[in-house]
Amino acid sequence: MRVRLRVRVRVDFGYGAPMLEVVVRPLWREFGPERVSAAAKHAKAGGIAVVKDRRWSLLGDAGPPEDELAPLLVDWAIRAIEADRWAEVTEGPARGCVEAKITRDWRERVQEWIDRDRAFPGATTEATFDCTLCGACCYDNKVVLDEEDVARFRAGGRADLLKRTSRKGVLRLLPLLRTKEKPCVHLQRNMCTIYDVRPNMCRDFPVGTEQCMTSREDLYGTPFPAGK
Ligand code: SF4
Ligand code: SF4
């Protein structure tokens, strides 16, 4: 059965008083092909299991049976490896897990996540992120606008932002990325200058995803706030 993994969870970072966000994030663990039951147990406890056979697979909890959405950070782990196919496992020891193939391009990065998470026991760990003060995700972004964004720009008196969009197929792109080293053109001193009308992709981006931690690591040398 194919699982729909579109999520729409608004994360309002807010600006003003520094905001610390506590996230229970899944830990990446590796398992041999003979240990699928243990891998599934890890996934159902909230972790991300990587089953290493000739092909590598990601297993995460598929969520409640009546729910079409996998848990948020599982969904984003699948996005992090840019998997274009995923499915709920409907039989065998991994029943109730969502499975996605990990392509060769992603193995090195996935191994880094597995190695990083060896320091933490269990299937999940709590991490505290200083989201308001960070803005690291604004350095490496590909923001695609939807119709709601377009309407918000217009209603917010910022139709001028639409003049700068480019198109790729049916997608309308807001050119936020100047170079790999420089952030979104709308980020100044770690503050979003179009915060009130910022696109949905910026609003939806969840704290504690691999994409968040990778952005932080690229910018600060560590995925975690100092002292965490
Ligand atoms: S990189 Fe993570 S912690 Fe920093 S602003 Fe983005 S979502 Fe928040
Ligand atoms: S529009 Fe704002 S929130 Fe979105 S990437 Fe740019 S600075 Fe960050």
Side-chain angles (χ1 to χ4, degrees):
M1 186 179 85
R2 192 73 181 246
V3 185
R4 280 200 281 131
L5 292 170
R6 283 173 7 98
V7 279
R8 198 142 197 90
V9 173
R10 288 293 154 81
V11 180
D12 192 342
F13 298 165
Y15 279 128
M19 184 176 70
L20 295 179
E21 186 132 350
V22 180
V23 173
V24 177
R25 69 173 185 85
L27 295 171
W28 292 74
R29 298 272 190 258
E30 59 190 337
F31 297 86
E34 73 290 352
R35 299 190 62 228
V36 174
S37 294
K41 192 173 168 195
H42 176 73
K44 287 173 190 164
I48 301 289
V50 176
V51 180
K52 291 182 172 178
D53 203 343
R54 274 189 311 176
R55 297 195 301 179
W56 289 20
S57 310
L58 175 158
L59 287 180
D61 184 20
E66 69 281 5
D67 196 342
E68 289 185 324
L69 300 178
L72 183 64
L73 293 187
V74 173
D75 177 5
W76 279 79
I78 292 170
R79 295 178 192 214
I81 58 167
E82 296 182 346
D84 55 4
R85 295 178 62 195
W86 52 85
E88 184 172 338
V89 183
T90 52
E91 55 188 33
R95 187 164 179 254
C97 291
V98 65
E99 181 180 34
K101 296 291 173 215
I102 301 171
T103 62
R104 287 188 183 279
D105 292 347
W106 281 95
R107 288 186 181 181
E108 193 177 335
R109 194 33 97 90
V110 166
Q111 189 63 53
E112 285 172 14
W113 296 336
I114 293 168
D115 294 342
R116 176 199 65 200
D117 284 351
R118 287 187 211 284
F120 306 95
T124 61
T125 188
E126 268 191 10
T128 306
F129 294 92
D130 51 348
C131 191
T132 307
L133 300 176
C134 175
C137 50
C138 304
Y139 275 71
D140 186 7
N141 51 67
K142 295 172 193 152
V143 175
V144 180
L145 301 182
D146 60 28
E147 289 312 311
E148 204 174 276
D149 295 326
V150 174
R152 189 184 307 110
F153 287 173
R154 291 201 171 113
R158 293 304 310 265
D160 59 298
L161 293 168
L162 295 170
K163 291 184 186 148
R164 306 177 49 182
T165 56
S166 58
R167 282 186 180 272
K168 186 177 178 189
V170 295
L171 301 176
R172 200 193 307 231
L173 308 169
L174 190 63
L176 300 176
L177 190 65
R178 285 163 163 162
T179 68
K180 186 74 184 153
E181 290 74 38
K182 289 192 176 172
C184 168
V185 292
H186 303 297
L187 188 74
Q188 285 177 18
R189 303 174 77 177
N190 276 14
M191 303 286 270
C192 174
T193 56
I194 61 165
Y195 187 75
D196 288 344
V197 294
R198 69 200 185 286
N200 280 335
M201 277 184 70
C202 306
R203 291 162 191 260
D204 292 349
F205 188 71
V207 187
T209 55
E210 286 309 321
Q211 296 86 334
C212 157
M213 292 197 290
T214 300
S215 298
R216 298 181 64 104
E217 191 157 21
D218 289 348
L219 194 60
Y220 303 121
T222 170
F224 307 112
K228 302 288 174 187

